[in-house]
Amino acid sequence: MTKERTLILVKPDGLMRGLVGEIVKRFEARGFKLAALKMTKATASHVKQHYLSTKQQLEGMGNKTLETMAQHKMDPKKKFGTLDPMKIGRIINQWNVEFLTSGPVVAMVFQGLFAVDMGRKIVGNTMPAKAEMGTVRGDFSVDSASFANLKGRSVRNLVHASGSVPEAKREIRHWFSKKELYEYERTDEALLFS
């Protein structure tokens, strides 16, 4: 359990706002070990492989967008030219690719007890407007899906965190080679994990 790893990406908005140190601090203060870190400018093809636009994922994004727009009395047909969740999901996925390639990102791997689940708690809800105070997104972003849809862009939510252990394993392999991942002992590991 203590060897579980998660991928954390500080997106271009987080990097431009100078939040990399704050994000690293929150993970390390929680007891997670930094296993890898690099700054990179991702290509569109690399990001498309990161997001893996499956039918389920695209339809899910499309359906969530339709729900959000209905909630805010917005016309999805006017904005997207369609009511098809799959087509809307493709548009949003393209916005995500454009955003993640719009500037450098900082890719990190953190390791520790329940790293994936705890990592999601540290970063907060995907939609910053719904994220709890005390989380990265809750403390540093106010963006929302409805505002992003209105502007025709991705939600600026500062950071990506792997959603499951299998996803984390795939994403870590995608962003880092084996020789870029490091093993070492933190001085507090005996206290944290015994």
Side-chain angles (χ1 to χ4, degrees), residues 56-104:
Q56 179 183 5
Q57 190 176 23
L58 292 174
E59 282 182 344
M61 283 192 294
N63 283 321
K64 283 181 188 175
T65 300
L66 288 169
E67 289 169 20
T68 299
M69 293 186 91
Q71 184 180 20
H72 294 280
K73 311 233 184 305
M74 298 168 73
D75 183 1
K77 180 86 167 164
K78 185 176 177 183
K79 183 66 190 176
F80 294 103
T82 183
L83 296 176
D84 181 347
M86 179 67 96
K87 289 180 181 176
I88 293 170
R90 282 193 185 105
I91 293 167
I92 292 169
N93 196 55
Q94 183 57 38
W95 292 347
N96 289 339
V97 170
E98 289 167 4
F99 178 54
L100 211 54
T101 59
S102 69

Side-chain angles (χ1 to χ4, degrees), residues 41 149 177 194:
K41 178 80 166 69
N149 291 336
S177 69
S194 62

Side-chain angles (χ1 to χ4, degrees), residues 23-174:
I23 293 165
V24 171
K25 176 184 154 191
R26 287 178 183 224
F27 276 84
E28 288 188 321
R30 187 68 189 214
F32 291 102
K33 182 180 356 186
L34 184 62
L37 180 141
K38 66 180 170 185
M39 184 186 290
T40 186
K41 178 80 166 69
T43 64
S45 64
H46 187 82
V47 173
K48 285 177 184 174
Q49 290 174 349
H50 167 78
Y51 280 123
L52 278 188
S53 49
T54 63
K55 182 178 189 288
Q56 179 183 5
Q57 190 176 23
L58 292 174
E59 282 182 344
M61 283 192 294
N63 283 321
K64 283 181 188 175
T65 300
L66 288 169
E67 289 169 20
T68 299
M69 293 186 91
Q71 184 180 20
H72 294 280
K73 311 233 184 305
M74 298 168 73
D75 183 1
K77 180 86 167 164
K78 185 176 177 183
K79 183 66 190 176
F80 294 103
T82 183
L83 296 176
D84 181 347
M86 179 67 96
K87 289 180 181 176
I88 293 170
R90 282 193 185 105
I91 293 167
I92 292 169
N93 196 55
Q94 183 57 38
W95 292 347
N96 289 339
V97 170
E98 289 167 4
F99 178 54
L100 211 54
T101 59
S102 69
V105 299
V106 174
M108 301 177 277
V109 176
F110 284 98
Q111 178 178 312
L113 198 58
F114 305 112
V116 173
D117 288 342
M118 292 308 299
R120 302 287 293 178
K121 287 181 182 180
I122 291 168
V123 301
N125 190 296
T126 301
M127 294 301 146
K130 295 180 179 180
E132 296 288 327
M133 293 294 119
T135 66
V136 171
R137 292 172 178 149
D139 289 351
F140 299 109
S141 182
V142 295
D143 205 5
S144 69
S146 54
F147 188 67
N149 291 336
L150 185 67
K151 295 295 184 177
R153 62 165 172 78
S154 177
V155 173
R156 294 180 183 149
N157 62 2
L158 305 172
V159 65
H160 162 82
S162 299
S164 67
V165 172
E167 182 178 281
K169 288 178 181 178
R170 182 189 63 77
E171 290 177 347
I172 291 167
R173 283 191 309 269
H174 183 64

